[in-house]
Amino acid sequence: MHDPASPSIARPLHQGWQLREVDPALDAATLQASSDGWIDARVPGTVYRDLQDAGRIPDPFIARHEADVQWVAERDWLWRLDFEVDPAEVRRHMALCFDGLDTIAQVWLDGRLIARSDNMFVPLQVTLDPARELAPGPHRLVIRCDSALRHGRMLQARHGVRPLWNGDSSRLYVRKAPYHYGWDWGPTLLTAGPWKPVRLQADDVRLVSLHSPVWLADDLGRARVDVALELAGMLDGIEVEHRLVDAQGREVCTHRSPARADHHAGLAVAEPQLWWPAGQGAQPLYTLTTRLLQGEVELTRTQRRLGLRRIRLVQEPVAGESGLSFFFEVNGRAFFCGGANWIPDDLLLERITPERYRDRVQTAVDGGHTMLRVWGGGIYEDDAFYDACDELGVLVWQDFLFACGLYPAHDAYLASVEAEARAAITRLRHRASLAIWCGNNEDYTLAESVGAHGPGSDTVRFEARRIYEQLLPTLCAQLDPQRPYWPGSPYTPGVDGLQNSQDKTAGDRHSWEVWHQLMLPYQRYAEVGARFVSEFGLQSHPSLDVLHAAIPDESERRPGSRTLQWHNKASSVVGADGHRRLAVYLADNLPPVTTLAAEVQATQFVQAEAMRHAYEAFRRRWQRPGARACGGALVWQLNDCWPVSSWAIVDSAGQRKPAWHVIRRALAPLACAVRRDALDPSGASAWVMSSLDQPVQAQARWTLQTLTGETLDQHEQIVDLPANASTELTVPARWRQAGDAPLVAALSLSAAGLQARAFAWPEPHRWQPVEDPQLRIETLDGGLLRVTAERPAKGVWFDVAGAPGATFADNFIDLLAGESREIAVQGPIDGLRVVSLFDLQARG
Ligand code: BMA
């Protein structure tokens, strides 16, 4: 009879680490035993933060210091920890666990090499002999991370240079976050180090893996959680207990049975509380607690939260059009999927707290987003990100980590990718929020651009199709069969080799004709719609506060300065071109500006207007059942990872830009749009977008005013709005007759207790100076501001200098002459600033 099992131990090894640069002249043993050159190190952490804390490098986010720290990426680095194993910690199975080593790593224990790793996303568990290798007493753990840059270049020299966009081409050979190599919105900081937890793991009985797919009856009236465990160790006398409780903490089901290596249990849920995306219902999460017990002694436990829902990707014919739809359905309910692309929220990932993740996801939900696409050039995100998405109802489009490259596919590489994908799928597959797996970001588009994909192409060079069309779908089908897999973004299904990722009639599309490619005026976004627009965007500066913090030299705080340009990483074949493209969109729409404050306002104004045109045009094509011509729109990008001019709608300080408010309005349950501009080919038109479950009758008010505020026409009308559809309205004849006269046309709607408003102004704005709207701002009780306009006001923007915390329930609003709006505001409003288009024209 063997000794009774003892409870498992998972002890973090995070205190007492030191870091030094590798001296290539010293052998490993001498180096590891050396006494000089060491600085304190954070674990989890990365080299830049430790060097910064030690005053060895400046903050790479400030000024142009990024250029001063590039030497770090060329060097190799060593982490060292002395720790003790307590006799009470000894178990039959002992291991050192490294959840993430960035990236080309070797690990030594007591001077002996115990592990190598070359994939930042593959957790490492090193099993060690409790008696010989991890016996009670002192031990020395050393991690060496070699320069990923040099390593990648070595592989590139062996296998050849491959085409890509963004970053050093050697990045294609290294399984490291691609954006670390620099991107068109991010600095080049090739981090290195134990970026995820390190721990001592001791078990007598081990819970190796847990899978808990949810089955839902067709009528959604019954559910079952099918738990599958893999156990290891001495299982005699051991029992497994599963306990499922609902979101209110009520016990739903408990199941206890003798432990077996291959364990299964079905946990029935009689009346399932369904999980819904934000805005469509609640997000009840059930908690599954699994424990290994010996008698009543708990040896180990694991806990996760599950949402009961069915997600479907619907590709069906679209009435009157060729191709197939591309939209999501949750629990049998189809919906227009408005949202954004998510990039890693920092370069130094260990700085991102669970609170910050939640705040960013909350900002997405408050902005009407139902989906975030975790983009393929970043990381498989932290659990805190998915926790927030599960809790707040944000669906996740999860890319595998390939972006903008013609990736290799030799055997060693495929093996590493397989281990990485297995780790990611098994970690994330229980997530309620996870809607779809996607093979890569823009690799088909890049392959097309170099003639390696598409009609008449030499597809031999596009070996990575083995990854996107064989390896990953096979793994997803095996490990997570309930969830859709999409080979890439963008990707269009079709005859093999003839696909064209720019197709508008099927699959998803990145509509970059505005900003990139043709630099189309944003007023023509309707021309580049598609079945699901998974990327599009326009740049703007971050808030003035963010720029001032990043540009300490006051003489550089001006439009066109070198440091301002340094914080715009957009580039193309001509090199840095973000400032050039920004200038084009400013020149197209607004009068010239001379101050940095005005340029911030102007770029954010143009970005907001662009997003209005985009979302209104894309959601208009949601249309009705059987004719779902556009199923969603995900703006590039939600967030920033450092202080930068980029496509983000929320800057690196978390400050919401005008575009965030415009998108919130365009994705609201009730929204409307009007067009009256000669530039917009649809001429005078108006439409309403409703995601309400029921048809409603809306009260519509049409108003036509001069820029001086004279009302030329105003009338009311009742309009019938079908449920969950977009509806074309007939614009008043008076509007058509006005042609392109410089008038303000407005439509306001109210239905089901909701309000929606839409305006059309003479465009481009630079052609038609607006009057001073003579805004009157009153501070009312209860955190309310009232703003009244004497004359029509365009793009009224409230913000509070130095207080990114102040949030306005609505912002970047338009007002008719004589109109008042009351805006709820949270946070301090001392130093409130209110500007509008007039200020740009008058004081630009
Ligand atoms: C697309 C994205 C990103 C890029 C963005 C803006 O290519 O996939 O790679 O940052 O456009 O250029």
Side-chain angles (χ1 to χ4, degrees), residues 165-166 183-185 373 375 403-404 441-442 510 512 515-516 535 636-637 647:
W165 295 320
N166 294 294
W183 219 263
D184 58 4
W185 36 259
R373 171 174 169 238
W375 165 78
C404 303
N441 174 73
E442 291 188 352
H510 291 188
W512 280 113
W515 183 266
H516 285 300
E535 280 195 19
W636 183 269
Q637 62 209 68
W647 299 265

Side-chain angles (χ1 to χ4, degrees), residues 562-621:
R562 184 172 180 194
T563 312
L564 180 67
Q565 184 181 327
W566 185 271
H567 286 258
N568 187 333
K569 295 296 184 184
S571 62
S572 64
V573 284
V574 297
D577 71 351
H579 62 289
R580 300 172 70 177
R581 292 173 189 260
L582 264 178
V584 167
Y585 281 97
L586 291 187
D588 265 359
N589 292 285
L590 294 171
V593 295
T594 55
T595 67
L596 187 56
E599 195 172 77
V600 167
Q601 185 194 351
T603 57
Q604 295 193 351
F605 180 104
V606 165
Q607 182 195 36
E609 283 295 291
M611 291 308 101
R612 181 172 67 80
H613 278 271
Y615 275 88
E616 290 176 351
F618 299 154
R619 190 178 174 195
R620 184 184 194 175
R621 299 272 288 155

Side-chain angles (χ1 to χ4, degrees), residues 167-180:
D168 186 280
S169 55
S170 67
R171 76 171 173 81
L172 299 183
Y173 286 98
V174 183
R175 297 310 299 156
K176 177 180 175 43
Y179 81 111
H180 285 166

